[in-house]
Amino acid sequence: MAGGAREVLTLQLGHFAGFVGAHWWNQQDAALGRATDAKEPPGELCPDVLYRTGRTLHGQETYTPRLILMDLKGSLSSLKEEGGLYKDKQLDAAIAWQGKLTTHKEELYPKNPYLQDFLSAEGVLCSDGVWRVKSIPNDKGPPPLTTSTTPTPLIPTEGSIRVWSDFLRVHLHPRSICMIQKYNHDGEAGRLEAFGQGEGVLKEPKYQEELEDRLHFYVEECDYLQGFQILCDLHDGFSGVGAKAAEMLQDEYSGRGIITWGLLPGPYHRGEARRNIYRLLNTAFGLVHLTAHSSLVCPLSLDGSLGLRPGPPVNFPYLHYDATLPFHCSAILATALDTFTAPYRLCSSPVSMVQLADMLSFCGKKVVTAGATIPFPLAPGQSLPDSLMQLGGATPWTPLSACGDLSGTRCFAQSVVLRGIDRACHTSQLTPGTPPPSSLHACTTGEEVLAQYLQQQQPRVMSSSHLLLTPCRVVPPYPHLFSSCSPLGMVPDGSLKGAGLAFVSLHSSGEHPSVWGTVFLFVPAPGSGSLGRRPHQTRLAALGQLHGCWSGAR
C-alpha cells in the first residue's frame, strides 16, 4: 500500500446501489487505464484511496477495489460470488457415505454477450488501439506487454441488462461479495421489502460476523484509514441494512468519517400503492437512522420527489436518458458521485472525509442535498470567466436529491468541484490594454475565478472549491447519453440555452471519452425552509412515530 494513501473502504448495499457501483468502478477502471498509458500525465486523484494491492494463488499481483457489497440471492447472474481472480471453492470434506450419490446442479445463468469480450482486468485499450497488460500504479505489477489489436468493444443493449453484474468491467476480491441468501432478488415472495427486515439481517450472528470479518480484513491492512463511504438503497429493506451497518461502523471505528449516499431509482409507478408506501417509509426511516450514525448523509435520485406524489424526472439539456431504466439513471448518478467524492481522493492537499463532513454539517444537521451540472456549459473558444458570466444569476446546477425546488432556501455551506477544463481556458485571454468586462476576467488563476464567482453568487455562504484538470472518464458499457456532442465534448453550435449543456462524448474507439462537469454539494441554512423543514419532509419525519410497528414488520 502506498504511503499516505488515506484509504477509504466502500460498502455497497442493495441492487440499485450495485448498478451505481458498477458504473462507478468502471469509471475508476477507465482512469486507471489512462494512468498506465505513458502518454497520459499523472492524475490528480489517488487510486490507492479506493483500491488495494493483493496477490493471487499463482503469485500474480492484483489491484482490486477496497469494497464490500451485499445483495440478495439471484442478483449476481453469471458473476461468481468468489470472483474470478482466484480458484473456485473446492469441497475437500471426506465422504463417509458408501451408497449411491446423486448430484443436483442449478442451471447457470447465461453470460451477457458483452462479458464474452471481458478484458478489463487483464489489459487496457490504449489510445493507439493496442491492448496492453494493465500495470498497477506506482510501478507495481507486471510490465506492459503488447498484444494484437482488439475489435471495438461491445456495448450492451438496455434490454440485455438484467442485473448490475451484466456490465461490471472489473474483477472483485473474493471477500467483496456477501450474499443474503434468506431473501430473493426475483419474484414476489421472499423479498427484502421493509426497513425492519433489513435491520434484522445484520442482527443475525451469521451475517453480522461475516460483515465484521470482511471489515477487519480490509481495515487491518490500511496504513491510514480515513473512513467509509456507504452506497445504500433507501427505497427497500436495504435502508435498514445500511442503518445497521453504519451503527456497527460508528461503534467499532469511532473517529473515522462515514459518508452515506442514499440511492433511489428513477420515477416509480403511481398505481403500485403498496410498494409506494413501502418506499416512503423505508426512505424516511433510512434517512433518520443513517443520519444518527453517519458523519454526513446525502440522498441521490433522478426522481423529482421522495414523497407519494411522483415528480418529473431530472432534466439535463443535451443529455438524453430513459428515467425508467436503472442502467441509465445509475450511470448519471455514478458520474456525479465520481466528482462529489474528489475532495477526499486528491493526491495533494486532500480534504479528509471528517473535515468535509464538519464543514457541511451545522448544529447537528447532517443531511445535505446535492446538485450537478453534467456537463459544464463551456462552448468552443470560451474561457471559464466567459462561461460563468454567461450563466448570469441563474443557479448553474440541477438538484439531484429529490427534495423539490430549492430556489427559496438559503445555503449554509457548499463544496464545489469543477473538473475537466483545460488550463488554457481557466482565465481570460484578453489583448493587453483591453479592460476586463468583469472582475472574473481580471483573475490570474482558474481557482481564483471559481472562488470569486461563488463569492459573488452567495456572499454569505462558506464555500470550498476545487478545480481539477482531470475529467471523468467514461468507456463502454457507459450508455450513449450525450449524442448531441462533438467527439471532444463540445456543444456543436456553442449556444447556451439551459442550465447545463452537453460537454461529454462517448465513442467506442481507443481514445477514452471524457466527462467535463461541475457538481455542487450544499447544506440549507437553519430556518430557511431547509431539508428538515420543507412540508413534504415534515410529513416524512412525522411518520417516524410509526417506527415501532414498521421496524417489526416481516
Side-chain angles (χ1 to χ4, degrees):
M1 185 65 62
R6 306 172 69 88
E7 302 91 348
V8 171
L9 175 57
T10 302
L11 275 69
Q12 194 172 292
L13 311 174
H15 199 68
F16 185 66
F19 269 84
V20 176
H23 281 297
W24 157 275
W25 294 114
N26 287 348
Q27 291 174 358
Q28 309 312 310
D29 185 68
L32 283 177
R34 294 291 293 221
T36 59
D37 193 337
K39 299 179 181 179
E40 184 76 6
E44 297 163 299
L45 301 179
C46 176
D48 285 343
V49 173
L50 299 175
Y51 277 75
R52 62 176 295 278
T53 56
R55 191 178 297 274
T56 67
L57 300 177
H58 301 288
Q60 181 184 5
E61 288 199 18
T62 62
Y63 200 57
T64 54
R66 190 178 296 104
L67 167 69
I68 300 174
L69 69 87
M70 301 186 75
D71 210 335
L72 305 180
K73 179 182 178 181
S75 62
L76 292 184
S77 187
S78 59
L79 178 64
K80 298 178 181 179
E81 186 174 344
E82 63 272 13
L85 288 177
Y86 294 74
K87 291 183 179 180
D88 296 340
K89 296 177 181 178
Q90 301 292 335
L91 182 62
D92 297 326
I95 300 177
W97 175 255
Q98 299 298 324
K100 185 178 179 180
L101 296 177
T102 303
T103 302
H104 298 272
K105 277 190 175 183
E106 185 177 358
E107 185 177 353
L108 295 177
Y109 284 93
K111 184 174 289 188
N112 189 294
Y114 171 77
L115 295 181
Q116 302 294 340
D117 288 345
F118 176 51
L119 295 170
S120 175
E122 292 78 21
V124 60
L125 187 61
C126 299
S127 57
D128 56 2
V130 176
W131 280 95
R132 293 187 173 89
V133 174
K134 184 190 301 180
S135 60
I136 299 174
N138 304 323
D139 298 325
K140 302 172 185 175
L145 299 175
T146 302
T147 62
S148 60
T149 303
T150 301
T152 302
L154 295 175
I155 299 178
T157 62
E158 283 76 4
S160 69
I161 300 296
R162 294 177 53 254
V163 296
W164 52 265
S165 59
D166 282 340
F167 61 95
L168 180 66
R169 290 171 51 97
V170 301
H171 276 311
L172 302 180
H173 190 273
R175 289 182 179 263
S176 285
I177 301 177
C178 177
M179 298 305 297
I180 302 175
Q181 300 291 345
K182 64 180 297 184
Y183 293 106
N184 297 321
H185 169 64
D186 294 317
E188 294 298 323
R191 299 178 66 90
L192 186 61
E193 295 183 294
F195 178 89
Q197 290 176 301
E199 266 192 329
V201 167
L202 291 186
K203 289 180 180 179
E204 296 184 21
K206 172 186 174 181
Y207 295 109
Q208 182 178 0
E209 292 174 4
E210 188 170 0
L211 179 58
E212 289 177 345
D213 288 344
R214 293 168 190 265
L215 286 171
H216 294 159
F217 171 78
Y218 286 111
V219 170
E220 290 172 2
E221 67 181 10
C222 294
D223 294 329
Y224 183 81
L225 178 72
Q226 62 167 312
F228 306 85
Q229 56 183 12
I230 302 176
L231 279 63
C232 176
D233 287 0
L234 286 180
H235 61 288
D236 55 22
F238 274 102
S239 61
V241 177
K244 194 63 180 177
E247 182 181 355
M248 291 174 58
L249 295 176
Q250 185 187 48
D251 291 342
E252 192 163 353
Y253 304 101
S254 60
R256 309 295 185 183
I258 304 173
I259 296 183
T260 300
W261 306 95
L263 305 172
L264 298 100
Y268 52 93
H269 300 291
R270 179 178 291 187
E272 300 177 351
R274 176 173 170 270
R275 289 191 176 182
N276 292 342
I277 292 293
Y278 275 32
R279 175 190 175 105
L280 178 66
L281 291 171
N282 290 327
T283 302
F285 292 133
L287 287 175
V288 170
H289 286 262
L290 286 168
T291 302
H293 304 297
S294 302
S295 308
L296 205 65
V297 177
C298 180
L300 292 176
S301 176
L302 296 185
D303 196 359
S305 170
L306 294 178
L308 288 177
R309 295 181 179 179
V314 173
N315 177 50
F316 290 97
Y318 284 89
L319 192 156
H320 307 287
Y321 73 99
D322 187 345
T324 63
L325 292 178
F327 182 55
H328 283 190
C329 294
S330 58
I332 297 171
L333 294 181
T335 300
L337 192 62
D338 188 42
T339 307
F340 287 146
T341 59
Y344 56 82
R345 297 193 289 127
L346 295 172
C347 290
S348 60
S349 303
V351 177
S352 71
M353 301 178 81
V354 173
Q355 291 172 332
L356 180 64
D358 288 344
M359 186 197 77
L360 294 176
S361 59
F362 180 81
C363 295
K365 295 185 177 181
K366 295 184 288 186
V367 179
V368 300
T369 59
T373 299
I374 302 176
F376 185 75
L378 185 70
Q382 276 192 330
S383 65
L384 178 59
D386 294 333
S387 180
L388 293 176
M389 288 302 299
Q390 199 161 353
L391 290 173
T395 303
W397 54 84
T398 300
L400 288 182
S401 293
C403 294
D405 184 15
L406 297 176
S407 58
T409 64
R410 288 185 297 134
C411 179
F412 165 70
Q414 63 183 356
S415 173
V416 182
V417 181
L418 174 60
R419 64 186 301 184
I421 297 182
D422 187 79
R423 193 181 297 276
C425 301
H426 284 186
T427 57
S428 179
Q429 304 298 326
L430 297 175
T431 305
T434 303
S438 70
S439 58
L440 297 183
H441 290 78
C443 296
T444 57
T445 65
E447 289 78 7
E448 185 181 349
V449 171
L450 182 57
Q452 186 161 329
Y453 171 76
L454 296 174
Q455 177 64 23
Q456 291 176 358
Q457 291 293 106
Q458 297 170 311
R460 298 182 180 181
V461 174
M462 181 172 60
S463 300
S464 171
S465 60
H466 298 274
L467 184 60
L468 307 182
L469 298 175
T470 307
C472 178
R473 307 292 181 188
V474 293
V475 296
Y478 196 93
H480 283 298
L481 304 179
F482 311 100
S483 57
S484 299
C485 298
S486 70
L488 295 179
M490 294 290 186
V491 180
D493 58 1
S495 61
L496 292 174
K497 300 178 182 178
L501 300 182
F503 204 50
V504 183
S505 66
L506 176 66
H507 53 94
S508 300
S509 69
E511 177 68 15
H512 293 295
S514 62
V515 175
W516 290 18
T518 177
V519 289
F520 299 81
L521 189 65
F522 62 94
V523 186
S528 62
S530 62
L531 182 64
R533 301 193 179 193
R534 296 190 64 80
H536 67 282
Q537 292 297 331
T538 302
R539 291 195 294 271
L540 286 178
L543 290 172
Q545 299 174 4
L546 302 175
H547 175 259
C549 61
W550 181 249
S551 63
R554 289 295 181 267

